[in-house]
Amino acid sequence: MNKILQEQFLVDDLSADQKTVITNINDYIKQGLTGNTSSVAIIQGAAGTGKSVVLMELVRQYMTDKRYKTSLVVNHPELYKAYQDLAESIPNMKVKTIRRPTSLINDAQKNHKQYDIIFVDEAHLLYSKSEPYAHYRGQNQLTDLMNLAKVVVVVYDFEQVFQSKMYWDKDLLFKTIGSHPHKQFDMNFQYRMVASDEQVAWMDDLSAEKPLKPFPDNSNFEFKTFDTAGELFENIKKHNKEVGMSRVVATSGFPRIDGRHNVEMDTFNLPWDEWDPQRTHWAKREGSITQVGTIYTLQGFDLNYVGMIIGPSFGYDKKSDTMTIIPKKYSHKEIFKKRKDIQFSQEEYKTFIANVLNVLMKRGKYGLYLTAYDDALRQRLVELDKERQ
């Protein structure tokens, strides 16, 4: 089994909190399997709280047991590859039971299939509207999955919502579940990063446009700001040679220069990540050190060190001493697609963009290196970093 994937998703030394959640969900699943209507178990928690670890432990229990008809679905293409890799190495687990939600729904509806349990990782990526171009013609994928299984186990993080077609909040989730039995299992402890609670809160406050302050220096988590993206990249390359799994990531908004749509800043000039049909996911490919990662390749994955370039859609307000979000400079238009059933405000679009930044900053276990495209924002972040040294 791939060692990197095993360390992230299949953990032998589960914490007491994780064991408790697994025991409680197990009880709920067994109860749901005897019910007359589909029930939903909701695993909820922020990035890095070990939600996927809990889910995979449940997957190992039920999807290797021939008594149950099961499937694991995920709408993230890179995570889908990772789970296929894991399935190949788990005894009695079948790779073909790992599905993308649209594929499973269309197949099950066409062939009148029913399941005992369907597990859904990154359920906040399920379509909550029809997407004909993606071959999904239903109205809500969670509704369809509930119609196909006795129990649906879903992993949600509402802070990782950043597209209108995959829009979810608690109100929509519970409206979708309706009268079906459901229970929420919360996970609050940070497992990914060695950062302290105060350091995680600093990242949250930055994304939320709160007044800036020096990064807390109260753990072994390594934080540093850089005046150039070029220097940031050199440090990330050094970490990648020493410990591996260290990458540069960025938010959208970088202008096209001479026809190129790269991330270009000072001496730094690299292309965006590229989707590749090969089974090796982006973060693990050696060549991805010369590309810039996004949520589309990194959501759900751990890195060791992250070099975060805050893109042009983020500025600085000197009067309030806050980072500001500028939606008109955000070039990834999927975020702004309109829907007939929900009207989004400018503030909600800003939240989508903030969520992208927040998710990317929290990919690194051991450290975060930071710079910004906007001169004023970058200078202020560097200034604050010097204050704590």
Side-chain angles (χ1 to χ4, degrees), residues 202 206 210-215 223-228 265 310 314-324 370-389:
W202 186 95
L206 176 69
K210 292 184 179 180
L212 297 172
K213 55 188 178 183
F215 190 82
F223 176 86
K224 188 175 181 182
T225 60
F226 291 86
D227 195 43
T228 69
M265 178 180 161
I310 303 175
F314 294 86
Y316 174 68
D317 185 325
K318 186 175 181 179
K319 187 175 181 180
S320 61
D321 194 22
T322 60
M323 183 181 73
T324 59
L370 203 59
T371 192
Y373 184 88
D374 181 83
D375 291 338
L377 176 59
R378 184 178 66 257
Q379 289 167 11
R380 181 58 176 143
L381 290 170
V382 170
E383 180 182 277
L384 285 168
D385 202 22
K386 288 179 179 178
E387 286 183 17
R388 72 188 187 97
Q389 295 175 7

Side-chain angles (χ1 to χ4, degrees), residues 207-313:
S207 303
E209 300 179 284
K210 292 184 179 180
L212 297 172
K213 55 188 178 183
F215 190 82
D217 189 14
N218 61 349
S219 81
N220 291 325
F221 188 79
E222 186 177 345
F223 176 86
K224 188 175 181 182
T225 60
F226 291 86
D227 195 43
T228 69
E231 186 181 3
L232 177 148
F233 183 42
E234 291 304 314
N235 279 267
I236 286 295
K237 285 193 292 184
K238 180 180 177 182
H239 276 304
N240 193 53
K241 285 184 178 179
E242 293 172 349
V243 298
M245 297 293 287
S246 302
R247 298 289 185 271
V248 175
V249 304
T251 56
S252 175
F254 289 86
R256 292 184 181 273
I257 300 175
D258 298 328
R260 299 185 306 272
H261 189 202
N262 289 1
V263 176
E264 298 191 42
M265 178 180 161
D266 51 74
T267 62
F268 184 87
N269 180 6
L270 287 181
W272 292 102
D273 50 12
E274 294 182 2
W275 183 82
D276 193 319
Q278 65 180 295
R279 285 283 291 277
T280 305
H281 61 82
W282 184 85
K284 207 182 76 174
R285 297 202 296 265
E286 290 184 12
S288 62
I289 186 64
T290 57
Q291 296 176 354
V292 179
T294 65
I295 52 171
Y296 297 104
T297 45
L298 282 171
Q299 188 177 16
F301 288 100
D302 293 351
L303 294 172
N304 287 324
Y305 288 86
V306 164
M308 177 80 234
I309 302 176
I310 303 175
S313 50

Side-chain angles (χ1 to χ4, degrees), residues 50-76:
K51 301 182 299 296
S52 293
V53 170
V54 166
L55 185 75
M56 285 308 296
E57 187 59 33
L58 294 165
V59 163
R60 277 203 289 192
Q61 289 180 30
Y62 290 97
M63 293 186 66
T64 59
D65 191 327
K66 293 180 180 179
R67 292 177 297 171
Y68 305 109
K69 183 171 177 57
T70 58
S71 182
L72 167 62
V73 302
V74 60
N75 210 23
H76 192 292

Side-chain angles (χ1 to χ4, degrees), residues 95-107:
V95 175
K96 66 181 182 180
T97 58
I98 313 294
R99 305 288 294 272
R100 299 288 292 279
T102 299
S103 173
L104 179 135
I105 290 166
N106 289 345
D107 175 61

